[in-house]
Every structure is written in C-alpha cells, then in structure tokens.
Amino acid sequence: MVTPGNNQKRYVAGALDASTARMTWVQGEKKTSALFIDLVRAVDAAYPRARRLHFILDNAATHSSKKTKKALEAMGERLVLHFLPPYCPEGNRIERVWWDVHANVTRNHRCKKMEALMAEVDAYLDARNSQKTASPILRAAPARRAA
C-alpha cells in the first residue's frame, strides 16, 4: 500500500474461514516470516476449539522458511498447511478479498498518513466480517439537502 510522497509500505496478511467467510488478519511493516507466523497465531487464538486448522497457501517464501517451520512445529499438529500450485491465484479464495480491498480502499485513496489508510483497511475488513458480504460500503453517502 503506497502513500503519496514518501512511498511507505505496510502489509496485511489474512486468513479466510472457508465456511463462514470471516477474515482474520494482521498488519506489519515488512512481508516476512514473522508476519505470517503472527497470522497463524491470530487464527489459532480465534479458533481455540478447532481440532485442526487448515491453511491453503501460495508458494511465498515466508510460508515455508526455516523460521516459519520452527514456529509452526512448536505450535503442534493442529496446523495443517496445503500449498497451491505455483501461479494459481484463482485457486485461493482470499485473493478475491485482496482484490476487493484494493478496489475499494487502497486504490486511489486520499489518506495523507499511513495510519489513516491502515485504519480504513481495518474498517473495511471489520465491515466485511460484520456484514458477511464481499463488498461492504465503508463510507455512508452524505445526506442530500432539500433545495
């Protein structure tokens, strides 16, 4: 997510519940194994009663790094990773969510500060979870005054 002027970036890693379409996500300043591990921990905390947590993943290096493998091993056998074939974004349903976030929040935004943009991303994903729709309306249309 790029802001005008100083080209700051932030990353959002997320998981999509296949049965409820509910999102769990975390933010970070870098796209690292630590960000992915934070996501796995957030999902683990969000589903404490689940016997197994299945993650369908692309082939990003952060998903299979030594650091990631070590952290996941420490979390036990409850986590199961499934890797998609290379170059298969249409096979991963969460990609549609990211396309939607870009179309409705990050593309052509007018935020002057990164914190404001990230707050809009959070608000959008929160609205998506509460409305259970693919494209929640973030900003209410201004009320029109009678002439």
Side-chain angles (χ1 to χ4, degrees):
M1 294 175 218
V2 180
T3 57
N6 56 7
N7 198 24
Q8 293 180 352
K9 293 183 180 183
R10 295 294 183 277
Y11 296 90
V12 179
L16 180 67
D17 185 318
S19 61
T20 66
R22 182 169 179 75
M23 286 283 299
T24 302
W25 68 95
V26 296
Q27 296 179 6
E29 292 190 13
K30 295 183 177 180
K31 194 177 199 177
T32 62
S33 297
L35 181 64
F36 177 62
I37 293 164
D38 287 346
L39 173 64
V40 172
R41 288 182 177 142
V43 172
D44 186 48
Y47 296 91
R49 298 162 106 194
R51 291 188 311 168
R52 291 265 191 273
L53 294 171
H54 294 269
F55 289 83
I56 299 171
L57 305 166
D58 61 17
N59 289 283
T62 58
H63 298 155
S64 58
S65 70
K66 289 179 185 179
K67 184 177 182 176
T68 297
K69 287 178 182 178
K70 185 176 180 180
L72 297 182
E73 285 174 9
M75 295 177 80
E77 295 180 12
R78 192 167 103 108
L79 307 175
V80 181
L81 305 183
H82 305 275
F83 289 91
L84 291 171
Y87 309 108
C88 187
E90 63 279 352
N92 194 346
R93 290 175 44 194
I94 200 166
E95 291 299 332
R96 294 180 205 138
V97 175
W98 299 136
W99 294 334
D100 199 43
V101 169
H102 286 300
N104 290 288
V105 183
T106 62
R107 188 176 300 130
N108 300 321
H109 69 85
R110 298 190 185 268
C111 298
K112 294 187 189 285
K113 302 263 183 191
M114 180 58 76
E115 294 76 21
L117 178 59
M118 296 311 291
E120 285 194 18
V121 170
D122 282 340
Y124 188 85
L125 293 172
D126 281 334
R128 186 186 181 284
N129 278 350
S130 65
Q131 294 179 16
K132 297 183 181 175
T133 63
S135 299
I137 297 172
L138 282 179
R139 299 168 191 88
R144 295 186 183 252
R145 294 185 182 164

